[in-house]
Amino acid sequence: MHLTLRPTASAVLPAGGGGAASFGPLPAVPHEDGSPLQTVPAAAPHAAVSIACSREGLARARSFTRHTLGEWSLHRCGDDAALVMTELAANAVLHAASRCPGEPDVRLGFRLEPAHLLLTVTDPDDRPPVRRPRGGDADLEEHGRGLSIVDALSDAWGWFPAVPAGKTVWARLSTRPPT
């Protein structure tokens, strides 16, 4: 696989290696409806971790999600956030990391915004995520519904190219209690 190097740009990427790290500002990537995302200050509460491309890595993604949300007293978001993070991480492990030898891990991140929780998954593959169309035989498939689940549980989701190569897929979940 040939990785495409890009010029420096704003991106939600951990600084340095793995573990909790600082994030840069979120770039103005459009929502699906074309409206831009607002930039969030780097000082917003955040957490990050790298996971291995394995079952153990996906279990770590779930426990990292629950632990982080517990630390932020966001237990009410735990089930949805764990499912969304697991789906995004599983897609990265299955589709992206397996095609990029020499890139053994996937980076997960959380950022607490004023009314939302931003989840990010960064992997080494430049190809965009593909959401399968609904209906027909696709509804009966064993695999391929992950992004539909992410779409159903999140307020918005999307992706942007990572620097120097790869991509970051993000999802925003509301932190407001249901009314």
Side-chain angles (χ1 to χ4, degrees):
M1 164 108 202
H2 176 4
L3 298 178
T4 306
L5 297 179
R6 295 190 188 86
T8 303
S10 291
V12 177
L13 293 174
S22 170
F23 283 80
L26 183 66
V29 176
H31 285 252
E32 286 186 73
D33 66 3
S35 62
L37 292 171
Q38 296 178 6
T39 299
V40 177
H46 58 272
V49 70
S50 290
I51 62 166
C53 293
S54 65
R55 281 184 168 157
E56 292 79 16
L58 294 176
R60 185 171 185 202
R62 286 186 293 274
S63 75
F64 170 65
T65 299
R66 295 204 183 277
H67 175 78
T68 301
L69 297 185
E71 291 286 314
W72 293 346
S73 299
L74 290 173
H75 299 285
R76 69 181 167 278
C77 302
D79 291 338
D80 288 353
L83 185 52
V84 168
M85 183 59 86
T86 300
E87 290 297 335
L88 294 178
N91 282 348
V93 167
L94 180 64
H95 299 294
S98 63
R99 294 184 180 117
C100 299
E103 296 290 337
D105 58 4
V106 171
R107 294 182 307 276
L108 313 179
F110 288 102
R111 179 179 289 172
L112 186 57
E113 299 177 346
H116 291 91
L117 178 66
L118 178 68
L119 291 73
T120 62
V121 175
T122 302
D123 67 60
D125 191 2
D126 287 317
R127 289 175 298 166
V130 177
R131 183 175 169 208
R132 287 191 180 177
R134 296 184 50 135
D137 291 338
D139 288 343
L140 301 175
E141 293 288 327
E142 183 177 350
H143 301 286
R145 294 185 300 268
L147 290 177
S148 293
I149 293 169
V150 170
D151 188 54
L153 294 176
S154 63
D155 290 351
W157 72 275
W159 73 280
F160 56 89
V163 176
K167 69 179 168 298
T168 296
V169 182
W170 58 267
R172 244 193 199 132
L173 280 68
S174 175
T175 56
R176 295 183 179 141
T179 55

